[in-house]
Amino acid sequence: MRRRKYLLIALLAMVAGAASGVGREHGRGRLEEASRLYLEGVKRQNLGTLREAAQCYEAALREVPEHAASYYRLSGIARMIGEPETALRYGRRAYEIDPECVEYADNYARLLALSGDYAGADGLFTELFRQDSSNLETLSMLAALKLERGMPGEAIVLLDTLQARSGWQPRTIEMKRQALIRAERYAEAYDYMARVCEELPDESAFRIQLAELAAALRRDSVALENYRRAIAIDSTSVGPRIALAEYYRIKDQWPEFPEALIPVFAHPAFPLQAKVDYFGTYLGRSPELYRRYFVYMARLADAVFWSAPKEELARDFYARHLIYGGQAETALEHLAQWIGEGDASASLYQLAIAVAQHRGLADTVDRYLAEAQDRFPNDPELGMTRLAVCFQRSDTLGAIEAAREVIGYSTNDSITSEALSFCGDMAHLRGNNKEAYKYYERALKLAPDRAMLLNNFAYYLSEEGKELERALRMATRANELTPQSATILDTKAWVLYRLGRYEEARELMRQALVMDAEGSAELFLHYGDILFALDEYFMAKTYWQRALEAGADGRKIEERLKRLEAAENGKK
């Protein structure tokens, strides 16, 4: 019996040993398959077939879930195709599986930096640099992270080490300049960039940076010298010339500023749209400056136009310059010439129509309107131009017809809403409020944040005493969108008045009267009504009298004065 027992134990041990061997063999087979799939993935990745490569790496992970190299490769692919969160997840997994691998740690650290986790990246790069202090790329990354974390002093120490080892490298120079500036060590930054320019005298970008620091330290002669040397070094580039112009702009030096811009605006490397935008932002904002330095403005406009004389944007800009400079007749001649060439855009037609209308040339307006409508039959902006022309000529029916046509074909929600609003206003003037409100509702669905639409709708509702809470919401929104408008403030105050909230109404009306530069009769009238509701009869009468002087209907004033007299008698 005992012998049989030992025999059984031996047999079980043999079976267990055999099973263990099969398991080891099976595990080795999966690892070999994972390696094969991984190498196939590398091959496909090198050929540029990233999707197929990723599929190979994923298959390798199904064989061996802890295959760090596959996670590392998948991280790289995710980064290449613009999936940073996926890249970070895969990079983290590779690092967790094999934290001793320098490549995995470096990749994970860079991904942390890209994700904004500068502290985490800093810790990893610090450890990598501790392991290998000869790695200059790690040192550079560490310095950049210190800078991003708001540690410019620590960054400077690292950058000094980096520069001592690698020499005058542009990336190192730029980081140290930034670090010195962020540390508010401006004089040191200036001295450093002066040394850089001595070491690298033919680099215009460094000359510009030195000039900017000199300007900040009020060493203007040094600044100007270096801007000019930068231009001399790189005379074919637009960058140094823009830098000089910006110096004059920031210093508010005229006419040096527009004069420095002339070669910039003539330069083909400076995009046309950028020229137009720059001009509008810094030169066309002040009519007084425009008049005083008109000669320079004209030269700049010429430079813009002749840099691209066939471009619609250049033509439009040049025509507007002429109009702004009081040369409407010359502008119209140019527009007529361009239109005569047969390829004018709808916007050039609109500009020609506006100029002709301003000069009272009705026949020219009609001719250009007809031509434009033939060429651009469903252009909503041209349709609105026709509406404006008709309305200015008191052709209300023609304006309404134009608005309805625009509503019929326009695919621009903003323009359609504007046309619907116009129809609503006209319906209100005819006394048909029901129709007016239908137009307003349609207009609001398309453009719920058009301030004047909200304002007018709210005011008309308040006049009828309808939906006053909704009217208040609309008036409030209109004020949020256009906070400095006396008319819109008046509407909200009037809605509050109609709601019986007189104190709030008075406060808003005071603001409206301060902002009103025209002395509006309606505002005086409304303020008088609000004061009357607050039993301030003397002041109410005063403002009604001012409303009358400003052109208010005498009968309305007379009615109010009778009510006031009756109220005063009632008090007695």
Side-chain angles (χ1 to χ4, degrees), residues 84-100:
E85 292 180 4
T86 304
L88 180 62
R89 187 173 72 252
Y90 284 139
R92 181 187 296 115
R93 190 73 189 100
Y95 173 71
E96 288 171 346
I97 294 168
D98 188 1
E100 299 303 317

Side-chain angles (χ1 to χ4, degrees), residues 174-194:
E174 176 57 19
M175 280 200 289
K176 185 170 178 182
R177 183 184 69 88
Q178 287 187 27
L180 288 166
I181 291 171
R182 291 189 193 182
E184 299 183 359
R185 291 157 59 175
Y186 304 116
E188 288 181 58
Y190 170 83
D191 291 339
Y192 175 68
M193 291 311 300

Side-chain angles (χ1 to χ4, degrees), residues 165-407:
R165 293 183 183 180
S166 63
W168 299 92
Q169 299 299 320
R171 183 184 177 193
T172 307
I173 292 168
E174 176 57 19
M175 280 200 289
K176 185 170 178 182
R177 183 184 69 88
Q178 287 187 27
L180 288 166
I181 291 171
R182 291 189 193 182
E184 299 183 359
R185 291 157 59 175
Y186 304 116
E188 288 181 58
Y190 170 83
D191 291 339
Y192 175 68
M193 291 311 300
R195 174 75 190 284
V196 168
C197 288
E198 288 177 5
E199 295 290 335
L200 304 169
D202 296 328
E203 293 290 337
S204 64
F206 295 146
R207 287 282 170 191
I208 293 169
Q209 290 168 355
L210 176 59
E212 289 169 348
L213 285 163
L217 293 169
R218 299 186 178 180
R219 302 179 185 180
D220 292 312
S221 60
V222 177
L224 285 170
E225 177 191 351
N226 279 282
Y227 280 125
R228 288 166 183 151
R229 288 185 70 176
I231 292 171
I233 290 167
D234 194 2
S235 60
T236 61
S237 174
V238 70
R241 297 182 185 278
I242 291 175
L244 176 60
E246 279 291 285
Y247 166 82
Y248 286 128
R249 180 185 70 79
I250 292 166
K251 294 287 184 179
D252 199 26
Q253 289 186 217
W254 295 72
E256 291 85 355
F257 169 43
E259 186 173 26
L261 270 179
I262 292 168
V264 173
F265 277 26
H267 204 292
F270 195 32
L272 178 58
Q273 185 65 61
K275 295 172 187 176
V276 172
D277 291 343
Y278 193 98
F279 191 97
T281 302
Y282 297 118
L283 296 157
R285 69 189 190 280
S286 168
E288 192 274 330
L289 278 175
Y290 208 94
R291 285 192 297 271
R292 184 186 302 177
Y293 300 106
F294 183 76
V295 171
Y296 294 98
M297 303 301 184
R299 290 175 65 192
L300 284 167
D302 285 342
V304 172
F305 176 70
W306 288 111
S307 68
K310 295 294 183 180
E311 292 286 338
E312 177 194 332
L313 180 61
R315 291 177 169 186
D316 181 271
F317 168 80
Y318 190 64
R320 291 180 189 277
H321 152 71
L322 292 171
I323 294 164
Y324 197 65
Q327 300 180 73
E329 185 175 351
T330 305
L332 193 56
E333 289 173 3
H334 279 285
L335 288 163
Q337 176 189 334
W338 298 330
I339 287 171
E341 292 175 4
D343 59 350
S345 66
S347 64
L348 285 182
Y349 270 107
Q350 284 178 267
L351 192 55
I353 291 164
V355 176
Q357 194 174 12
H358 173 72
R359 297 189 61 223
L361 304 174
D363 290 344
T364 304
V365 169
D366 291 339
R367 184 176 80 252
Y368 284 147
L369 263 177
E371 285 183 25
Q373 283 183 300
D374 284 343
R375 288 197 59 198
F376 310 99
N378 293 325
D379 187 294
E381 291 187 5
L382 274 171
M384 294 302 289
T385 299
R386 180 185 157 210
L387 184 159
V389 169
C390 290
F391 192 67
Q392 189 176 30
R393 292 176 177 177
S394 300
D395 181 6
T396 305
L397 292 178
I400 293 172
E401 180 187 357
R404 287 175 175 166
E405 287 178 4
V406 169
I407 292 166

Side-chain angles (χ1 to χ4, degrees), residues 27-45:
R28 189 180 302 112
R30 301 199 72 171
L31 183 58
E32 289 176 356
E33 178 62 11
S35 297
R36 186 191 68 78
L37 289 164
Y38 171 78
L39 292 173
E40 182 64 23
V42 172
K43 177 182 174 182
R44 293 178 182 275
Q45 187 173 351

Side-chain angles (χ1 to χ4, degrees), residues 412-489:
N412 183 312
D413 286 351
S414 178
I415 292 177
T416 306
S417 174
E418 193 175 343
L420 287 164
S421 297
F422 178 81
C423 289
D425 292 341
M426 295 301 99
H428 178 77
L429 286 175
R430 295 195 304 271
N432 189 344
N433 285 344
K434 186 176 181 180
E435 183 181 357
Y437 296 161
K438 286 181 180 178
Y439 278 118
Y440 290 147
E441 296 286 9
R442 289 174 64 190
L444 275 175
K445 285 181 180 177
L446 295 175
D449 279 341
R450 281 192 60 234
M452 286 311 299
L453 169 59
L454 290 162
N455 178 77
N456 292 353
F457 198 178
Y459 183 73
Y460 297 149
L461 285 172
S462 70
E463 284 285 87
E464 286 198 272
K466 289 183 176 179
E467 301 184 65
L468 291 177
E469 290 295 341
R470 184 190 181 199
L472 180 59
R473 289 194 298 273
M474 288 194 288
T476 299
R477 181 59 182 149
N479 271 277
E480 290 170 353
L481 294 166
T482 314
Q484 301 298 320
S485 167
T487 300
I488 292 176
L489 274 170

